Amino acid sequence: MAARLLAIVGLLMVWTAAPAAAQLHGDHVIDVPFDIGPLALKIAVLLALPAVAGFAMLRGFIGAPEKGTAAFVAVCAAVAVSMELLLASGFTLPPIVVPLALAAVGGPLYLAFADREAPALVRGAAPAVLLAAAVVAGAVFARAWLATPPGADRGPILHTGMIVAYAGLAWLTLGLPRNRALRGAVLTVAAVLGVALVGAGTQVAALG
Amino acid sequence: MAANPRVRSNAIAALNSKYHRVGLFAFLVIVLGHWAEHIVQAVQIYALDWPRPQAGGVLGLWFPWLVKSELMHYGYALVMLVGFVLLRHGFHGRARTWWMLALWVQVWHHFEHLLLFLQALTGQNLLGQPAPTSILQLVLPRVELHLFYNAIVFIPMVVAMVLHRRPRFDDLVQCSCAPHRTPAAVG
């Protein structure tokens, strides 16, 4: 049976290779009959931003989120990352960070809708992912606000920081450290990142 | 079909039992039709030496806008995703593993097409690129990415269907497409 399966897979790969070689996706003049402009994307981001940032700032006061709340925040973070990718006019980190950020935001989203609880390993790793994202986003925001000369375009830098921040804050829905001091540190970092997210979001909105 | 708590409605339950064979056949026709179009395109380009913009498959010759529209590509990705989701309850054992693999690859493929569709719809290209761009095009060299996606969705899908039609004893199911064999006859 295994040999037969292997033969089927091999045949299918040969079969699918010909059309794959024949067609360039870029050859589709990718279009739709109308253009609605970026307003809908901006509205989606402006709706998602306060949900994620607000959750980050209030997480220390509201306790562990219910399943529905976690799902809502995870959906908002995923929508925000997707919309930011379209609204950003550039990305100031290596391109590999983009699929990593999408994977990072997809994890909590999947777990929020999964029938089972998040595995203990994932819950344990959640604060580390959040802190790593906070360090990267913090460095990007610092570059935008402190190291960019007046008049220079801060838009791509701020969008980059926001994408990383959303991806990190999505993990706040999964768990916190048991250690009281570590828990306080993670909540503080999350709250500061939430404030930075609001600041960056406001600034890119003002920049247009 | 054995009672499955995940089967939420009678329609889906019927689709995954009494009408599973019909459902899978219809799904396969859609998928093979899509592949047939691309194979015709390959023949037009490599055998007939047509210029790529003119090689529109079969439907593209009568409806050129159809091939060029991201709406059609997104629609196909969505139909595929819906098919994978609706028909998944009928699969069991190894067949289900392969079907779910195809489903998750299609989830990502659909997301890529959703982003392409949004780029076309809003005029905002991914990260300021000059043309609508897929996520993986940011990190991989220019390849026939979406045909590659179609292939890696199609292969596990077919494997799932083959395993579904030739189940081991522990994979035996009672939907309309399962062969009518007694457990003793199953090798």
Side-chain angles (χ1 to χ4, degrees):
Chain A
M1 189 63 184
R4 227 184 275 171
L5 269 184
L6 208 63
I8 291 171
V9 170
L11 268 175
L12 290 172
M13 286 179 81
V14 172
W15 183 33
T16 55
Q23 201 223 10
L24 288 165
H25 198 266
D27 282 345
H28 306 153
V29 181
I30 295 173
D31 59 10
V32 289
F34 39 87
D35 183 343
I36 63 168
L39 183 63
L41 305 177
K42 291 179 180 175
I43 291 172
V45 167
L46 289 176
L47 289 174
L49 191 150
V52 179
F55 179 73
M57 288 186 258
L58 296 173
R59 174 66 180 86
F61 306 100
I62 59 174
E66 289 174 8
K67 188 112 177 146
T69 309
F72 179 68
V73 173
V75 167
C76 286
V79 167
V81 168
S82 306
M83 299 302 108
E84 288 289 348
L85 287 171
L86 301 184
L87 289 169
S89 58
F91 194 70
T92 58
L93 291 172
I96 189 69
V97 176
V98 174
L100 288 179
L102 282 168
V105 87
L109 185 65
Y110 170 75
L111 290 168
F113 289 97
D115 291 336
R116 59 201 161 105
E117 278 269 304
L121 185 71
V122 175
R123 277 183 278 132
V129 177
L130 169 58
L131 289 177
V135 168
V136 176
V140 175
F141 286 143
R143 186 181 151 205
W145 287 321
L146 306 174
T148 304
D153 183 13
R154 292 192 173 111
I157 311 175
L158 290 170
H159 280 298
T160 302
M162 290 173 75
I163 287 167
V164 177
Y166 281 122
L169 287 175
W171 286 74
L172 192 58
T173 58
L174 291 178
L176 289 170
R178 288 192 182 163
N179 180 288
R180 201 180 165 88
L182 277 176
R183 191 184 175 89
V186 170
L187 287 171
T188 305
V189 168
V192 171
L193 193 57
V195 173
L197 196 55
V198 172
T202 310
Q203 197 170 2
V204 293
L207 289 170
Chain B
M1 185 184 169
N4 182 341
R6 292 185 177 184
V7 179
R8 290 192 172 88
S9 76
N10 289 338
I12 293 177
L15 183 62
N16 283 282
S17 52
K18 199 162 48 167
Y19 300 112
H20 201 225
R21 188 189 180 104
V22 176
L24 283 180
F25 184 74
F27 190 57
L28 197 59
V29 166
I30 294 170
V31 174
L32 288 179
H34 182 238
W35 275 115
E37 278 285 303
H38 285 309
I39 288 169
V40 171
Q41 271 186 318
V43 170
Q44 289 167 344
I45 292 169
Y46 293 117
L48 304 176
D49 210 20
W50 290 13
R52 278 179 188 245
Q54 265 90 61
V58 177
L59 285 179
L61 297 180
W62 280 276
F63 311 103
W65 59 269
L66 197 63
V67 179
K68 291 178 179 176
S69 171
E70 182 52 34
L71 197 59
M72 192 270 289
H73 294 284
Y74 177 68
Y76 176 73
L78 189 62
V79 166
M80 284 279 286
L81 184 61
V82 170
F84 275 119
V85 171
L86 288 182
L87 293 164
R88 76 188 191 282
H89 300 297
F91 288 88
H92 297 266
R94 294 169 306 154
R96 185 176 171 90
T97 305
W98 284 91
W99 189 261
M100 293 306 288
L101 174 68
L103 188 154
W104 282 111
V105 177
Q106 184 59 24
V107 167
W108 173 258
H109 185 196
H110 166 266
F111 175 69
E112 286 269 43
H113 269 291
L114 179 62
L115 282 185
L116 283 170
F117 180 55
L118 284 174
Q119 289 173 70
L121 194 64
T122 62
Q124 292 284 123
N125 292 335
L126 189 81
L127 298 174
Q129 298 284 320
T133 305
S134 301
I135 297 286
L136 284 194
Q137 270 182 289
L138 297 173
V139 287
L140 293 177
R142 183 55 201 256
V143 290
E144 324 309 1
L145 185 63
H146 286 266
L147 270 294
F148 168 71
Y149 279 146
N150 281 325
I152 60 169
V153 170
F154 183 60
I155 290 170
M157 184 195 109
V158 173
V159 172
M161 286 181 173
V162 169
L163 291 173
H164 186 57
R165 286 284 297 156
R166 289 171 171 71
R168 289 193 306 212
F169 176 63
D170 52 346
D171 293 344
L172 268 182
V173 291
Q174 284 146 29
C175 60
S176 59
C177 39
H180 297 288
R181 286 186 283 180
T182 59
V186 177

